[in-house]
Amino acid sequence: MTLRVLGVDPGLTRCGIGVVDVEKNRRATMVAFGVVGTSPGESLDQRLLVIATSIDEWLDTHEPHVLAVERVFSQLNVSTVMGVAQASGVVIAAAARRGIPVALHTPSEVKAAVTGSGTSNKDAVTKLVTKILRLDAPPRPADAADALALAITHAWRAGSGAAVATTGPGSQSLTPAQRAWADAEAKARRAR
């Protein structure tokens, strides 16, 4: 069975959205991506309405099995955190209205899943997302690439239901990032 994940990199000014289909062998295919933009000059209620309307359209059009959203993390800029949290809330509520499960992933989890390192920069994430999804050109802007990375992360982490072999038949088809992630998951399970 193919798992469809809609990833969201929330923000008030730019909200990245990406949809991927992931097979049991963790092969990921891009379905769609884009960015919902709002102007800082608009009122907060109107900005959230634009995001809510757009996410409703994406959920209705693509019918994902799960929604993956970047977890809000503490920053020095409180207004940025507030905007991200407000956009996240609108997106999560839209999924909840449809009974779609929601998963939250931190930026470092996403970087580790896609690149093999939780400290990678945005360029590295975009480069690996392009390679993983077999795209001819990098998804732009970076918010869209981040949303696709979130969707890939969720599917690889928990959603695909795939038992990933790090050795033996089929392990050659894994990317280095997939192998590193599978090795880390196996190590964490052994430590429990």
Side-chain angles (χ1 to χ4, degrees):
M1 177 184 154
T2 299
L3 178 73
R4 177 162 288 182
V5 183
L6 191 149
V8 178
D9 180 25
L12 276 178
T13 303
R14 287 181 318 278
C15 187
I17 304 173
V19 182
V20 297
D21 284 343
V22 182
E23 300 168 28
K24 284 194 175 213
N25 66 1
R26 293 190 178 201
R27 180 179 167 96
T29 303
M30 192 273 301
V31 175
F33 67 86
V35 172
V36 177
T38 68
S39 169
E42 293 179 59
S43 64
L44 176 62
D45 59 333
Q46 289 305 304
R47 295 177 82 184
L48 292 173
L49 180 60
V50 167
I51 293 168
T53 302
S54 295
I55 198 67
D56 283 340
E57 291 170 5
W58 278 80
L59 291 169
D60 292 342
T61 299
H62 298 290
E63 299 179 339
H65 298 113
V66 65
L67 183 81
V69 181
E70 184 173 275
R71 182 184 301 271
V72 178
F73 63 98
S74 178
Q75 293 180 1
L76 296 176
N77 188 340
V78 175
S79 64
T80 299
V81 171
M82 290 299 295
V84 170
Q86 290 163 331
S88 295
V90 166
V91 169
I92 291 167
R97 280 193 301 274
R98 290 164 177 77
I100 299 170
V102 176
L104 301 174
H105 299 284
T106 66
S108 59
E109 285 177 305
V110 173
K111 292 173 187 177
V114 174
T115 70
S117 169
T119 60
S120 295
N121 63 27
K122 281 190 175 285
D123 289 337
V125 170
T126 299
K127 182 178 178 181
L128 268 293
V129 164
T130 304
K131 183 175 181 175
I132 290 164
L133 296 174
R134 302 167 313 285
L135 303 176
D136 294 331
R140 297 280 185 227
D143 307 278
D146 289 348
L148 290 167
L150 276 153
I152 293 165
T153 296
H154 180 73
W156 283 0
R157 230 181 143 207
S160 68
V164 176
T166 56
T167 60
S171 66
Q172 295 79 13
S173 64
L174 298 178
T175 67
Q178 287 172 312
R179 257 192 304 283
W181 189 264
D183 290 342
E185 283 182 325
K187 184 177 178 182
R189 279 193 297 274
R190 286 191 302 271
R192 287 184 197 161

